[in-house]
Each structure stands twice: as C-alpha cells, then as structure tokens.
Amino acid sequence: MLKEFKEFAIKGNMIELAIGVIVGAAFGKVVTSIVNDVIMPPIGLLLGRVNFSDLFISLDRVSYTSLKQAQEAGAPTLNYGLFINNLLDFLIVAFVIFIAVKQLNRLRRKEESKPEPEANTKECPECLSDIPLKAVRCKYCTAILEGENELKPSN
C-alpha cells in the first residue's frame, strides 16, 4: 500500500496539481488585495467615502457604527459589503481563467490543424514490424507482402 501511495504521489500529474493549487491560492490572495486595496477604495470615495467592508445590515435592529462593533456585540448581521468584495474577487479570477483557457484552446487548435506527415512505412502482417512502403518482402521475417507492390511474373 505504501508503494502504491508513493507511485501515486510522485506521478507528474499529482505534482502539477499541487503546484497549481499553491499558485492558485497565491493568485487568489493577490486578487483579493487588488479588490480590497486598489479597486474598492476609489469606488468608495466616488460614492461618498463608503468603506465596502463596513456595509452591513444589523438584523437585531440596533444601530452600530461599524461591522466590527456589531460583531463584538454579537449582533447578527447581513454583510453585503463583504459580499460585493467577494463577488468582485470571483469575477476577476473567472475572467483571468477564461482568458487563460481561451489561449490554451487557441494553441491546441494550432497544433491540431498541423497536417500529420505522410507515413513512409507500413506494418508487416506476419511479424508486425515497420517496413518501407515500397518493400515487397519483410526484412525481418522475409514474408512476401501482398498488395500493389507485389512482384509480377514476367512474360
């Protein structure tokens, strides 16, 4: 069982997946910082000095000056400002992933559209070795090959 786990963990796909998860987590932190520290402050300034992370509705109908104060009081809150921030995070990450997948698909289409080179060998029906197309006898098993290149008796 340990040997099987070692084979599974060392496979290339598993390591690539782990790297992808780590890079994805770091990318998520960068996007969150961009949203919270770069995008939302100017929007909040334009909307009258609003801090989106402090936008909430107190469900116990008591007025609190900040979300932190309401949370310290143990009040139930509907945090729609944090939801807006998280929604922007999601939209940015989804857009970046869309662009990356679009580019990968474009590269794959280019590879698929390349014509495959013409085969210059065929398979011997007796020994399954690759032999030249024009061969009339297999160089490995000396079988006489049937078909268009077969030797014809002379008249």
Side-chain angles (χ1 to χ4, degrees), residues 138-153:
C138 178
K139 67 180 177 181
Y140 299 105
C141 69
T142 68
I144 297 175
L145 305 173
E146 298 177 17
E148 60 194 52
N149 292 331
E150 190 174 323
L151 289 176
K152 297 185 170 110

Side-chain angles (χ1 to χ4, degrees), residues 126-137:
E126 296 294 324
C127 68
L128 304 177
S129 299
D130 285 335
I131 55 175
L133 279 177
K134 294 182 180 180
V136 293
R137 186 179 291 263

Side-chain angles (χ1 to χ4, degrees), residues 5-140:
F5 177 74
K6 184 178 176 183
E7 287 177 20
F8 171 76
I10 294 178
K11 280 186 180 177
N13 292 343
M14 182 60 129
I15 293 172
E16 290 170 5
L17 177 64
I19 291 170
V21 168
I22 292 168
V23 169
F27 179 70
K29 288 181 181 180
V30 169
V31 170
T32 299
S33 177
I34 288 171
V35 169
N36 293 339
D37 303 329
V38 177
I39 295 174
M40 296 313 282
I43 292 174
L45 182 65
L46 289 173
L47 295 176
R49 298 187 184 272
V50 175
N51 181 0
F52 276 83
S53 60
D54 257 352
L55 295 178
F56 69 99
I57 297 172
S58 174
L59 299 177
D60 65 358
R61 299 185 183 186
V62 176
S63 180
Y64 299 98
T65 57
S66 70
L67 177 60
K68 185 177 180 181
Q69 183 185 19
Q71 288 174 337
E72 287 173 355
T77 58
L78 186 66
N79 306 325
Y80 67 92
L82 293 174
F83 173 75
I84 291 170
N85 284 351
N86 290 329
L87 184 63
L88 281 174
D89 279 358
F90 169 76
L91 291 174
I92 291 171
V93 170
F95 180 72
V96 169
I97 290 172
F98 168 76
I99 295 297
V101 169
K102 186 176 178 177
Q103 292 302 318
L104 284 173
N105 287 339
R106 188 174 62 102
L107 292 173
R108 283 188 186 141
R109 278 194 297 269
K110 282 184 180 177
E111 288 177 4
E112 289 173 0
S113 66
K114 290 181 184 176
E116 291 193 26
E118 277 189 42
N120 56 1
T121 61
K122 60 184 175 182
E123 192 175 74
C124 172
E126 296 294 324
C127 68
L128 304 177
S129 299
D130 285 335
I131 55 175
L133 279 177
K134 294 182 180 180
V136 293
R137 186 179 291 263
C138 178
K139 67 180 177 181
Y140 299 105

